[in-house]
Amino acid sequence: MKKAWQNFITQFKPRYRVEVLNYHLVPFAPLMTNANTQDFEKGEYDAARKYFDKVVMATAKAKVAPAEVHLIKGKKTVVHSASFGPINEVKRFKAG
């Protein structure tokens, strides 16, 4: 009975996604982005948070810049975010 109740509650929990955006800047060339996502099932916040922390540590250790890492709840709510390098300048370069 307890397992059935937990499965019922899990139906209403949100999905989580970890998204990693790497920006590649080459002079006189258009800005290139590389997006990688890892999807998690409904209610797996702990697994998603562990993976997010692992990706942030690996990105910081490898000194990959500019890069952004987002932990997203549902379709678009950003729960946690980390950025490496001059992200604001890169986004202005992309827009302009």
Side-chain angles (χ1 to χ4, degrees):
M1 180 70 175
K2 189 174 184 179
K3 182 72 172 173
W5 179 253
Q6 287 176 346
N7 288 339
F8 176 73
I9 296 297
T10 303
Q11 291 180 35
F12 301 104
K13 291 184 178 181
R15 294 184 187 269
Y16 292 95
R17 180 175 75 222
V18 176
E19 186 175 85
V20 181
L21 298 169
N22 292 322
Y23 298 99
H24 302 284
L25 296 170
V26 178
F28 305 109
L31 180 67
M32 295 181 289
T33 60
N34 183 12
N36 296 319
T37 60
Q38 177 68 37
D39 295 324
F40 293 91
E41 292 299 319
K42 291 185 175 188
E44 290 187 355
Y45 173 75
D46 294 331
R49 179 60 194 226
K50 285 180 185 177
Y51 186 76
F52 172 80
D53 292 337
K54 183 177 164 184
V55 169
V56 167
M57 294 296 287
T59 305
K61 190 174 183 180
K63 297 180 182 175
V64 176
E68 288 182 300
V69 183
H70 301 288
L71 175 58
I72 301 170
K73 174 182 172 182
K75 294 195 182 229
K76 59 183 177 180
T77 305
V78 177
V79 180
H80 297 285
S81 179
S83 61
F84 303 93
I87 297 298
N88 293 332
E89 288 79 11
V90 169
K91 287 184 179 179
R92 269 190 279 162
F93 179 72
K94 183 177 182 181

